[in-house]
């Protein structure tokens, strides 16, 4: 029986939403492995909108759920409708949207909070003992999801995000771009992706390994 995986995205575009390469690689690998996938996103306004050509902020407002629909080809649901009993695993790709729209990590660092609907959904998977995959900057949310003592990676130990993770009570483990870090006690798998990747192929090397491991840890319905 195929495994059912929920994927939470944070908009569309690396600087203000979900990292598109990471999101597509994740969805592709899940499909290649025969998983059934449903994308979710919070129905909230983005923190801000970035012109991805110039890197400058734009004077407009966009909705995270609507922007996520660009990547999901319209097949996305409000994360409030994510019910853990319908899925075997959860994966969060990265992008600044994780730190801006799914949380305020970009502004608050170690003092960050996670968007309430996203946190409730992720904690439900953790409580149910179902595997979670966190990609790129998404492991910055791990302590809020699992509590102090959780182990994950943001790539380099010298990265300020890794230092913030440890300040929150997490354990950071350095990891190369093509590898994963697994916290067996929490069924958490993480990989650096574009925290370290210099190409889409490098990003895919770790993401594919993460997806494969999350599916191995998942118990199918």
């Amino acid at each position: 029986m195929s495994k059912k995986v929920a994927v939470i995205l944070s908009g569309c575009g690396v600087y203000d939403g979900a990292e598109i390469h990471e999101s597509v690689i994740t969805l592709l690998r899940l499909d290649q492995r025969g998983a059934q996938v449903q994308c979710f996103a919070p129905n909230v306004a983005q923190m801000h909108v970035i012109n991805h050509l110039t890197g400058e902020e734009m004077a407009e407002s966009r909705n995270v759920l609507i922007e996520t629909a660009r990547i999901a080809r319209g097949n996305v649901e409000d994360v409030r409708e994510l019910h853990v009993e319908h899925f075997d695993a959860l994966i969060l790709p990265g992008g600044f949207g994780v730190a801006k729209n799914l949380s305020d990590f970009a502004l608050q660092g170690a003092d960050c909070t996670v968007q309430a609907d996203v946190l409730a959904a992720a904690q439900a998977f953790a409580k149910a003992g179902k595997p979670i995959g966190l990609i790129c900057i998404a492991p910055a949310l791990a302590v809020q999801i699992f509590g102090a003592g959780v182990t994950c990676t943001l790539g380099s130990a010298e990265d300020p995000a890794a230092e913030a993770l440890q300040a929150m009570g997490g354990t950071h483990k350095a990891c190369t771009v093509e590898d994963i870090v697994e916290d067996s006690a929490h069924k958490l798998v993480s990989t650096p992706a574009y925290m370290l990747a210099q190409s889409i192929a490098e990003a895919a090397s770790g993401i594919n390994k993460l997806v494969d491991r999350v599916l191995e840890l998942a118990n199918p319905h």
Side-chain angles (χ1 to χ4, degrees), residues 69-97:
R70 294 176 179 271
I71 296 176
R73 294 174 60 85
N75 185 19
V76 60
E77 297 180 10
D78 189 327
V79 73
R80 291 182 181 181
E81 303 303 316
L82 202 178
H83 301 295
V84 65
E85 63 269 21
H86 297 160
F87 295 93
D88 305 305
L90 172 68
I91 298 179
L92 275 69
F96 277 101

Side-chain angles (χ1 to χ4, degrees), residues 29-179:
R29 188 61 170 183
L30 286 166
D31 191 56
Q32 289 173 333
R33 294 297 308 276
Q36 297 181 47
V37 179
Q38 179 61 53
C39 292
F40 294 89
N43 186 10
V44 297
Q46 291 184 186
M47 188 185 93
H48 59 193
V49 178
I50 299 295
N51 180 327
H52 279 62
L53 187 62
T54 65
E56 297 175 354
E57 188 170 347
M58 300 173 68
E60 61 178 87
S61 177
R62 297 187 186 181
N63 177 278
V64 176
L65 181 61
I66 292 171
E67 289 298 294
T68 295
R70 294 176 179 271
I71 296 176
R73 294 174 60 85
N75 185 19
V76 60
E77 297 180 10
D78 189 327
V79 73
R80 291 182 181 181
E81 303 303 316
L82 202 178
H83 301 295
V84 65
E85 63 269 21
H86 297 160
F87 295 93
D88 305 305
L90 172 68
I91 298 179
L92 275 69
F96 277 101
V98 172
K100 294 177 176 180
N101 304 329
L102 303 190
S103 72
D104 57 4
F105 182 77
L107 296 176
Q108 303 298 330
D111 296 321
C112 73
T113 58
V114 180
Q115 197 274 338
D117 300 323
V118 172
L119 183 61
Q123 286 181 334
F125 279 83
K127 184 177 181 180
K130 296 184 177 183
I132 297 178
L134 298 177
I135 297 167
C136 191
I137 192 64
L141 312 185
V143 175
Q144 280 79 4
I145 296 169
F146 293 97
V150 66
T151 299
C152 55
T153 190
L154 289 156
S156 170
E158 284 73 44
D159 193 295
E163 296 175 2
L165 174 72
Q166 297 194 128
M168 285 186 270
T171 299
H172 183 267
K173 185 175 180 180
C175 182
T176 55
V177 68
E178 73 279 1
D179 211 352

